[in-house]
Amino acid sequence: MIPKEFEYYDPHNIEEVINLLEKYGEEAKILAGGQSLMPLLKMRILSPRCVVDINRVNQLKYIREEEGFIKIGALVRHYEIEYSTLLQSRLPIISRAVGEIGDPLVRNRGTIGGSLCHADPSADLPPVLIAAEAEIKIAGPKGERLIKAENFFIDYMTTVVQPNEVLTEVRLPLLPKHTGGAYFKLQRTYGDFAILNIATLLTLNKDSSCERIRIAMGGVGARPLRIYKAEKLIEGQVIEDRLIEEASEKGVEEIEPPSDFRASSWYRKEVAKVYIKRSIKSALNAARCS
Amino acid sequence: MSKWVGKPLKRKEDFRLLTGRGKYIDDIVLPNMLHAAILRSPYPHAIIKNIDVSEARKLSGVVYILTGEELAQMTGPMLSYYLLQAPPTTQQYFMAFRKVRFVGEPVAAVAAETKEAAKDALELINVEYEPLKTVIDPEEAMKENAPILYEDAGTNILYHNIYVYGDVEKEFKEADVILSEKLSIHPYTSAPLETFGCIASYDGFSLTVWSPDQIPGMVVRALSAAIKIPEDKIRIISAQDIGGGYGIKTTLLPYMVIVSALSLKTLRPVKWIEERHEHFMAAGHSAGGRFYVQLALTRDGLVRAIRLKTIEDEGIFSLWTCLYWLLKLTNIVNCYKIRAVYFEPFSVATNKCAAVPNRGVGKPGMCYIIERMMNLAAQRLGLTPEEIRFRNFIPPEEFPYRTPTGNLYDSGRYAEALKLLLEKIEIEKLREEQRKLREQGRYIGIGISTGLEPSVSNFSYFEFMEVGRPNTTGASSAARVTITPGGKVVVAIGSPCSGQGHETTLAQVVAEELGITPEDVTVLPFDTQSCPTTSSQGLYANRFVSMDLGAVTKALSRLKEKILRIAASQLDAPLESLTFGDGKIYVKDSPDRAITLESIATIAYSDVLKLKDIEPGLTETAYYVHPSADRPDDKKRMSIQLVFGYNFHAAVVEVDIETGQVKILRYVVVADCGRIINPMIVEGQVHGATAHGIASALYEGILYNEEGQCLTTTYTDFGAASAVDLPNIEVYHIETPSPFTVMGAKGVGEGGAIPSPAAIANAVEDALSPFGVKITELPITPEKILRLIKQSQKK
Amino acid sequence: MKRKIKVKVNGVWYEAEVKPNRLLVHFLREDLGLTGTHIGCLEGRCGACAIILDGLAVKSCQLLAVQVNGSEIITVEGLAKNGKLHPIQESFWEHHAIQCGFCTPGMLIAAYQLLIRNPNPSEEEVRKGLSGNLCRCTGYVNIVKAVKAAASKMRGEYNE
């Protein structure tokens, strides 16, 4: 379990990174936190010609509030998001979800950019970002572009990021008042890949009806999905048990989860229903308290 | 009043382990050393048509490549340890010879200057395989048209027999109730954190092997026979520290042979360290099992007889296909007065890696069977789980108790232990809480399981293989105790240690006997050159505290006798008046008449003229044989294991009925391992073994797909339990000494793993009793639970 | 093509030339002879290889040696100071939190990190803090006890 030999570069700014990616294209792999890439290199599942270590690109290390968004640089480590007082107060759902990634040692090193680009279908962050309607900034030789989180993941472990591009920032809109969030994760043992996860953000109107709800799930297919049918039922309504029940029934109609040795498609669907219910209830309580 | 024995002394081993100065096999570096890597079969069943190593040979740094064919010519087939013969029709080879039978089977081995070169070379070896049909499921493997693993045997059923003890027919005829059930468990591994590894160094004359093997004294003859170097020219040195073994590290021999062969060919030291995925794929698993069981019961809940047909999935293992079923005969009646036993074992070969000894070896499966059945019987008869057990326990006055199969249980206070357990969990309060929570739609369950902990294997059991008298019988251990010229103590025993605190435990006993402190006692790491050993000695089956200590105390008593004679002569006092204490030997009634142990040592080694008729030196070697070891009688009864501790478990769980997830709220153990020498060490063993059992019930296990690929080759996929997934484990002690062991100690190690899967299963079933769910399979996954709930809700 | 690195380990600066594909854990164990850090899986799960890198506990099998140029590392060998054990080490000893010792270095490092972040952890927080470190011998029972005891000892020292 030793990686095959490769050429190694550790650029110090984004331009250098992009130049290298332009040069090597598909033959290059970006190394950020390494928590996902290193096992692939060690098992020789991947043997790239060159590794571009971006850990010294300090431009990508920031968490700040700006223009109605919280902007997080691609190289921010999970533990920084977990312990960020800014995020804990303004976007608690992301701190909460990030605290479930792997284990403390993984979180000391893993980055938001790396995790998103790895695009494991049951990763913790994607459903949260989708529910929060986040946008992802990608830089390439032709400049920068912004993609909605929902459109960022296109297939199993595949994103819209091209071989000559690098993810530079995640931006999340600040949550309106009376918004509550919930994040649930189903795993066999702590630290295992999730079987299923769900992020729900719910905003209440003054009259306690639902102004807006976003529900996103991971582990339900090749990529994380928004559960539109459930959202449509709930939005504009006063939320009570029967409606939640109906939303969960309708919600699972949209998903065709896979079967693997961790869980069958049937089980994932059963728990998805339960999680939709529970996350709506939990987000509702949080919204009422906020 | 004990000064050291029974005290929770801090371990002597810990300082080096805490400061990163442990010496594990991978920490050993020798000059001029080569690194080995092993090429493994990607097919579960195939003929090897050709191996082309020409490209690999050209790689810079590659020194030698050994194929299975070449190794087979050097060594011949693997020999069983108990006969030093190869089985006639089911021969296995150290690396695959002409055929591969599981994914991961070693096919070739490379020795190179660096690890990297060795790994790179593997990719350049070209093997041509002709795939054959595969069989993964043991019951499928038993069928007529199943693909056969060992063609000369003509069948995959490597062992089948029927054992009848007592009048089984009569008991079933007269039974008021007969319960029948099919149960199953999955293959498991305790997955030690340190993988396999070994180093071999052949200098042209003699071979030295460093290894974390648990039974080095036992394998030296088999190694010698394989590598064709005489035994007196082989030295096996145990790694000073071993990162967990749990039984799996008793099976290092094939790798010791491969690495030794590479050293023979290169005349350089060769080191091989196994990688994690290799370990999960190929090191060995516990046997999965399918169990068809019947109990014959009276309406008062007395279990009169048990019928058990057990199908043990041995994977490819064929050298002695008995351990997993044979050891079930040690706890088949568990703690109960069951009168008759019908036992029909099958050992079946499948295209999976070998079944190897793993914590408890067949006994966790057996306990699962009997403890599940006791609960099902209780339900059927309207008794509580504890009541049915109380009614069936062997009462204390009947010990030593001979079971129908011939095991001689030494001692036990089962009813008392169960009472203590029920007190500690406050069973009535718990049941009340359970009732209340059910009304709120929450489901907690209480599961009890009683687990006999048989220890110390009697190797006469190999006679059950019906191939003649084995060359190893009974159970024996060797030890040498030496007082150094300066008055310190050095102990050498014939077993290594993998974290059980043997050095500390021994030091406590020696210090107690000689009236010194444990600081002044050192235990040598095992080395065939300097430690006495017997063929049955080693680190397995909880042997240490009854057997190795038996030999140590025997050697100590001879040594003490000699010390007393010298002291008596020097102090001019009668022998009976003397005693040991504070580093001295002194007259009991006038303690100032004393002589230090150090002075005695000086006389014994240096000032020898003071000795007169006594021989110089202060060292004694002793060999200890367990007094109860016998051979099978004409009715096939024997004491398969010789010492019987026990631990009783209670699990309190909550089941989320919407997701099937199980949370353990509380876990309590009452343990009786006889006389306790170091309670902290004993508890640590109970914690660790119990953790394996809980984890195997809920999370961990080995999975294969239909194509024979092992799906669980990483800790993550295996479902390894972290600190978050396991509960705090409370342990309470009872000490009922064994009348047969030297100190009354019974040993501990496997025990916690034996009743724990059943405790969890019983608890989950109890939680779900409103749904009428029955748990029969392990592991108990949330998905299985949810399916059972949904099925019952439909009805 | 080898790269020059300079790294401080347990207070001592080392200079070396390493190939880019050399894992940090192999560098520490084989090039620097610091065999206290162990390899349990190489897949990044078990935590036996944990070290402190620039103040953060990380798994050294998930890093390349070239990545630590200019950094400061503490391994298990660096926890004791002048022969005096760290309170966490002492606590592990007192509470029998060690059996085979293979997970111990990584556990000590993870506990060290946990107690810096949270000097007064609950049992649940301790278990979560150690969730990146597997132990196969102890069932974690005594390890959790030891970490809690170390926490109170260390808090007591602050109060002196």
Side-chain angles (χ1 to χ4, degrees):
Chain A
M1 288 184 90
I2 298 169
K4 276 204 156 125
E5 286 190 19
F6 48 76
E7 292 166 37
Y8 173 82
Y9 301 97
D10 56 340
H12 285 65
N13 58 57
I14 298 174
E15 288 70 46
E16 275 180 55
V17 174
I18 293 173
N19 288 340
L20 283 162
L21 295 176
E22 266 282 86
K23 182 174 176 200
Y24 290 103
E26 304 256 356
E27 291 186 303
K29 264 313 217 172
I30 294 178
L31 174 62
Q35 302 305 289
S36 305
L37 180 64
M38 287 300 292
L40 299 175
L41 293 179
K42 284 181 279 184
M43 285 302 297
R44 300 190 171 190
I45 292 169
L46 284 180
S47 295
R49 177 175 162 194
C50 84
V51 167
V52 179
D53 179 352
I54 61 170
N55 284 286
R56 301 198 190 264
V57 180
N58 294 330
Q59 293 164 284
L60 297 175
K61 300 174 185 176
Y62 55 88
I63 303 176
R64 54 181 177 246
E65 190 179 325
E66 208 173 71
E67 306 162 343
F69 287 95
I70 304 261
K71 296 181 180 176
I72 307 175
L75 278 177
V76 171
R77 312 262 178 208
H78 298 317
Y79 83 91
E80 293 175 292
I81 297 178
E82 190 182 355
Y83 291 106
S84 153
T85 44
L86 177 64
L87 286 167
Q88 280 170 359
S89 56
R90 313 297 243 127
L91 266 160
I93 191 176
I94 194 176
S95 290
R96 159 109 177 71
V98 144
E100 296 295 312
I101 296 177
D103 60 65
L105 304 176
V106 167
R107 296 197 286 278
N108 275 346
R109 199 72 201 154
T111 63
I112 183 167
S115 175
L116 291 177
C117 290
H118 185 66
D120 186 300
S122 55
D124 296 272
L125 279 171
V128 174
L129 297 184
I130 292 172
E133 295 187 283
E135 290 176 311
I136 296 171
K137 196 196 278 186
I138 304 168
K142 302 201 186 95
E144 294 180 328
R145 58 195 181 107
L146 223 46
I147 305 282
K148 280 171 105 154
E150 206 177 317
N151 301 324
F152 180 79
F153 306 96
I154 47 181
D155 203 347
Y156 182 69
M157 316 269 282
T158 315
T159 68
V160 297
V161 179
Q162 296 303 302
N164 60 0
E165 292 181 313
V166 58
L167 188 159
T168 53
E169 180 186 276
V170 178
R171 54 173 71 166
L172 303 110
L174 290 171
L175 297 174
K177 274 201 157 95
H178 309 299
T179 300
Y183 177 74
F184 288 101
K185 178 179 185 179
L186 177 71
Q187 57 193 201
R188 294 181 308 164
T189 48
Y190 200 76
D192 192 5
F193 294 109
I195 293 172
L196 195 74
N197 55 8
I198 188 167
T200 297
L201 279 167
L202 190 158
T203 308
L204 289 175
N205 280 321
K206 289 209 168 57
D207 65 359
S208 291
S209 64
C210 168
E211 178 182 309
R212 184 201 192 105
I213 183 169
R214 298 286 177 265
I215 306 173
M217 296 192 81
V220 290
R223 57 192 197 92
L225 296 174
R226 249 178 79 173
I227 312 297
Y228 287 105
K229 281 190 183 168
E231 291 174 2
K232 284 194 172 68
L233 269 177
I234 304 255
E235 252 173 28
Q237 307 297 321
V238 171
I239 306 171
E240 24 103 77
D241 284 352
R242 215 187 33 79
L243 187 65
I244 296 178
E245 183 71 40
E246 212 187 317
S248 71
E249 299 276 340
K250 271 259 149 353
V252 292
E253 282 173 15
E254 296 187 80
I255 61 172
E256 280 300 326
S259 278
D260 61 28
F261 74 83
R262 281 181 169 81
S264 69
S265 177
W266 173 86
Y267 181 68
R268 286 184 155 103
K269 247 178 148 150
E270 288 293 315
V271 180
K273 223 186 307 175
V274 173
Y275 269 18
I276 292 172
K277 271 190 289 191
R278 289 184 184 177
S279 70
I280 295 173
K281 285 188 184 157
S282 180
L284 180 61
N285 279 337
R288 283 183 182 146
C289 297
S290 72
Chain B
M1 192 57 230
S2 288
K3 194 156 182 209
W4 304 111
V5 170
K7 299 287 186 288
L9 235 62
K10 281 173 20 175
R11 293 190 341 169
K12 292 159 68 79
E13 297 87 328
D14 288 0
F15 189 81
R16 67 176 186 268
L17 299 174
L18 278 170
T19 53
R21 289 186 185 83
K23 265 243 152 348
Y24 300 85
I25 188 76
D26 195 18
D27 300 337
I28 301 173
V29 175
L30 298 172
N32 213 21
M33 192 170 76
L34 294 172
H35 297 266
I38 292 179
L39 183 68
R40 295 179 182 271
S41 166
Y43 289 99
H45 200 194
I47 295 179
I48 300 173
K49 306 222 66 180
N50 189 42
I51 302 184
D52 178 4
V53 302
S54 52
E55 280 308 305
R57 281 226 177 90
K58 294 181 197 155
L59 193 68
S60 161
V62 171
V63 175
Y64 200 86
I65 304 181
L66 188 67
T67 63
E69 178 97 30
E70 190 181 357
L71 185 61
Q73 272 150 27
M74 283 170 82
T75 67
M78 286 196 212
L79 308 179
S80 67
Y81 296 173
Y82 61 94
L83 279 183
L84 286 179
Q85 278 175 30
T89 57
T90 59
Q91 287 153 22
Q92 281 185 252
Y93 288 83
F94 297 104
M95 287 205 288
F97 176 50
R98 300 203 177 136
K99 198 182 178 203
V100 291
R101 293 186 177 89
F102 74 99
V103 172
E105 186 164 2
V107 163
V110 174
E113 298 286 351
T114 64
K115 260 196 294 241
E116 208 180 328
K119 282 251 75 154
D120 288 343
L122 292 184
E123 294 179 14
L124 297 173
I125 299 176
N126 226 319
V127 185
E128 215 185 304
Y129 293 98
E130 181 188 305
L132 300 169
K133 287 211 172 78
T134 297
V135 64
I136 299 301
D137 181 279
E139 286 178 287
E140 286 300 312
M142 289 165 78
K143 292 188 176 151
E144 276 287 306
N145 48 5
I148 303 291
L149 268 76
Y150 295 98
E151 298 86 356
D152 292 345
T155 171
N156 291 323
I157 299 174
L158 301 182
Y159 184 89
H160 172 234
N161 212 335
I162 294 174
Y163 297 86
V164 184
Y165 301 98
D167 199 338
V168 178
E169 287 294 320
K170 174 170 171 289
E171 300 295 356
F172 272 87
K173 228 197 240 159
E174 293 176 3
D176 297 319
V177 173
I178 296 177
L179 269 186
S180 298
E181 211 51 68
K182 177 180 174 185
L183 303 169
S184 71
I185 61 171
H186 61 307
Y188 179 68
T189 166
S190 291
L193 205 60
E194 180 200 37
T195 56
F196 281 7
C198 55
I199 302 173
S201 182
Y202 181 67
D203 61 6
F205 306 103
S206 59
L207 175 70
T208 306
V209 177
W210 288 260
S211 149
D213 192 283
Q214 293 177 234
I215 49 171
M218 216 192 285
V219 308
V220 68
R221 288 186 73 186
L223 175 63
S224 168
I227 207 73
K228 311 282 189 286
I229 289 176
E231 207 186 324
D232 57 317
K233 300 195 176 31
I234 297 183
R235 179 180 179 187
I236 298 184
I237 302 175
S238 284
Q240 181 193 55
D241 295 297
I242 299 175
Y246 322 116
I248 305 169
K249 284 186 175 145
T250 57
T251 61
L252 268 151
L253 180 68
Y255 296 106
M256 289 160 71
V257 168
I258 293 170
V259 173
S260 297
L262 285 171
S263 188
L264 254 72
K265 293 291 184 189
T266 59
L267 288 176
R268 288 170 68 173
V270 179
K271 180 185 197 179
W272 172 74
I273 301 294
E274 184 187 48
E275 292 183 349
R276 176 52 55 190
H277 66 279
E278 290 184 274
H279 188 85
F280 273 118
M281 237 189 343
H285 313 142
S286 72
R290 306 278 161 84
F291 311 121
Y292 296 88
V293 57
Q294 285 188 316
L295 289 191
L297 297 148
T298 70
R299 67 176 57 85
D300 301 323
L302 296 176
V303 183
R304 289 292 189 225
I306 176 170
R307 268 197 193 120
L308 175 62
K309 176 169 114 176
T310 170
I311 296 167
E312 307 288 350
D313 184 351
E314 306 275 2
I316 61 146
F317 192 72
S318 67
L319 287 188
W320 50 83
T321 43
C322 60
L323 287 186
Y324 273 86
W325 59 257
L326 196 148
L327 288 174
K328 286 187 165 65
L329 282 173
T330 63
N331 66 338
I332 191 165
V333 300
N334 207 5
C335 304
Y336 310 121
K337 282 192 76 165
I338 300 174
R339 305 207 281 225
V341 171
Y342 170 96
F343 185 60
E344 185 176 357
F346 289 85
S347 275
V348 181
T350 60
N351 291 114
K352 307 211 273 295
C353 84
V356 301
N358 188 93
R359 210 157 198 175
V361 196
K363 289 167 287 190
M366 187 66 241
C367 187
Y368 180 73
I369 297 165
I370 188 107
E371 290 301 292
R372 289 295 304 120
M373 292 304 281
M374 291 304 272
N375 263 37
L376 293 172
Q379 281 169 37
R380 175 76 158 268
L381 296 169
L383 296 168
T384 62
E386 55 272 24
E387 185 56 41
I388 196 171
R389 287 168 171 87
F390 280 124
R391 290 185 188 186
N392 282 284
F393 277 151
I394 300 161
E397 58 271 13
E398 292 195 26
F399 288 91
Y401 176 85
R402 183 77 69 180
T403 70
T405 66
N407 283 299
L408 186 66
Y409 291 359
D410 39 17
S411 65
R413 285 182 282 162
Y414 303 141
E416 195 178 318
L418 185 55
K419 256 184 75 193
L420 180 61
L421 183 68
L422 296 170
E423 252 173 59
K424 291 295 179 188
I425 62 170
E426 296 176 288
I427 184 94
E428 292 310 324
K429 257 170 113 177
L430 262 180
R431 291 219 165 102
E432 183 51 43
E433 199 183 329
Q434 183 182 49
R435 272 189 285 273
K436 286 203 187 112
L437 286 170
R438 276 193 190 144
E439 289 163 18
Q440 298 168 27
R442 285 178 59 188
Y443 297 87
I444 68 167
I446 308 142
I448 288 166
S449 168
T450 71
L452 194 70
E453 181 175 3
S455 309
V456 187
S457 290
N458 172 5
F459 277 166
S460 309
Y461 66 46
F462 281 120
E463 288 197 48
F464 280 64
M465 298 305 297
E466 291 170 351
V467 285
R469 186 186 174 129
N471 63 15
T472 307
T473 56
S476 55
S477 274
R480 186 182 64 243
V481 183
T482 301
I483 314 277
T484 65
K488 307 289 185 203
V489 186
V490 175
V491 180
I493 55 173
S495 346
C497 182
S498 68
Q500 297 82 357
H502 288 176
E503 182 170 16
T504 303
T505 305
L506 265 177
Q508 286 177 252
V509 171
V510 172
E512 189 82 51
E513 288 292 309
L514 292 177
I516 56 176
T517 66
E519 271 93 74
D520 290 338
V521 182
T522 293
V523 179
L524 296 180
F526 180 80
D527 182 333
T528 52
Q529 206 168 77
S530 53
C531 298
T533 190
T534 70
S535 285
S536 62
Q537 193 168 8
L539 175 67
Y540 66 99
N542 297 0
R543 280 173 119 258
F544 170 78
V545 93
S546 44
M547 297 303 298
D548 292 355
L549 266 186
V552 169
T553 46
K554 202 168 167 181
L556 264 178
S557 74
R558 290 181 193 156
L559 208 54
K560 282 172 76 172
E561 201 208 346
K562 188 167 182 180
I563 293 170
L564 286 174
R565 281 199 290 139
I566 299 174
S569 153
Q570 296 303 307
L571 295 174
D572 199 21
L575 270 173
E576 322 73 67
S577 69
L578 297 171
T579 189
F580 290 79
D582 292 327
K584 301 195 267 275
I585 294 84
Y586 61 90
V587 178
K588 276 179 251 181
D589 298 327
S590 63
D592 338 303
R593 284 174 69 194
I595 180 167
T596 64
L597 187 61
E598 196 180 329
S599 306
I600 303 252
T602 304
I603 293 169
Y605 287 98
S606 316
D607 199 351
V608 297
L609 292 182
K610 281 194 175 155
L611 285 171
K612 292 180 214 153
D613 301 322
I614 304 174
E615 193 176 325
L618 281 174
T619 180
E620 292 291 336
T621 301
Y623 292 80
Y624 175 77
V625 176
H626 196 286
S628 314
D630 50 4
R631 289 175 58 197
D633 66 12
D634 56 349
K635 295 203 172 66
K636 297 195 187 148
R637 291 176 301 200
M638 72 171 270
S639 239
I640 291 172
Q641 291 194 301
L642 302 169
V643 179
F644 296 86
Y646 52 99
N647 48 112
F648 293 1
H649 291 202
V652 183
V653 304
E654 178 164 3
V655 182
D656 179 337
I657 59 161
E658 287 188 307
T659 65
Q661 287 172 300
V662 176
K663 182 155 185 247
I664 302 174
L665 301 176
R666 199 167 166 211
Y667 203 98
V668 180
V669 176
V670 168
D672 187 346
C673 61
R675 179 109 180 268
I676 294 176
I677 296 162
N678 186 322
M680 257 194 344
I681 291 177
V682 162
E683 268 184 37
Q685 291 301 303
V686 176
H687 294 157
T690 302
H692 285 172
I694 295 174
S696 76
L698 291 174
Y699 316 116
E700 298 176 355
I702 298 294
L703 276 171
Y704 278 83
N705 67 10
E706 302 270 299
E707 289 80 49
Q709 298 286 339
C710 179
L711 298 174
T712 51
T713 58
T714 63
Y715 268 126
T716 308
D717 289 343
F718 171 69
S722 72
V724 174
D725 307 298
L726 291 172
N728 184 34
I729 299 166
E730 301 163 48
V731 183
Y732 301 96
H733 297 285
I734 292 185
E735 280 181 73
T736 314
S738 169
F740 302 129
T741 66
V742 172
M743 297 192 65
K746 290 184 178 180
V748 67
E750 291 181 342
I754 293 174
S756 31
I760 298 287
N762 287 347
V764 171
E765 198 177 82
D766 184 57
L768 299 175
S769 60
F771 301 91
V773 149
K774 186 163 61 176
I775 306 284
T776 55
E777 270 178 37
L778 284 182
I780 307 166
T781 63
E783 177 164 346
K784 280 187 193 162
I785 291 176
L786 195 65
R787 279 188 198 272
L788 288 169
I789 295 173
K790 298 281 179 197
Q791 270 165 28
S792 87
Q793 278 172 334
K794 277 201 188 104
K795 289 185 196 150
Chain C
M1 210 181 36
K2 289 193 175 181
R3 277 264 203 142
K4 274 212 178 83
I5 60 168
K6 197 166 170 206
V7 60
K8 193 177 193 184
V9 184
N10 299 330
V12 178
W13 282 103
Y14 295 91
E15 275 187 47
E17 278 197 14
V18 292
K19 282 167 75 174
N21 64 337
R22 190 136 178 78
L23 298 178
L24 178 61
V25 68
H26 288 138
F27 174 73
L28 292 169
R29 287 179 51 81
E30 294 167 19
D31 300 352
L32 301 187
L34 293 167
T35 57
T37 302
H38 297 146
I39 296 175
C41 73
L42 274 184
E43 86 197 50
R45 177 67 188 95
C46 76
C49 66
I51 52 144
I52 304 281
L53 174 67
D54 297 327
L56 292 171
V58 294
K59 296 173 182 178
S60 64
C61 77
Q62 298 278 61
L63 280 151
L64 303 167
V66 287
Q67 292 186 283
V68 303
N69 185 28
S71 286
E72 277 193 47
I73 289 176
I74 306 173
T75 68
V76 64
E77 290 95 335
L79 286 179
K81 291 278 183 290
N82 299 321
K84 188 168 188 297
L85 292 178
H86 191 280
I88 300 176
Q89 288 170 308
E90 275 177 4
S91 196
F92 268 53
W93 200 356
E94 274 151 26
H95 289 85
H96 186 43
I98 308 164
Q99 287 184 34
C100 81
F102 205 75
C103 76
T104 303
M107 279 291 177
L108 291 170
I109 296 284
Y112 179 92
Q113 168 83 95
L114 169 70
L115 295 181
I116 288 175
R117 280 196 179 138
N118 184 353
N120 192 5
S122 65
E123 180 176 329
E124 194 186 332
E125 287 168 330
V126 171
R127 287 177 181 274
K128 279 211 168 110
L130 300 178
S131 59
N133 295 75
L134 297 180
C135 171
R136 305 300 298 168
C137 288
T138 66
Y140 307 102
V141 180
N142 285 348
I143 295 177
V144 172
K145 286 192 183 133
V147 175
K148 286 205 79 185
S152 41
K153 206 192 289 200
M154 286 160 74
R155 287 194 309 273
E157 282 170 17
Y158 283 164
N159 289 339
E160 271 169 18

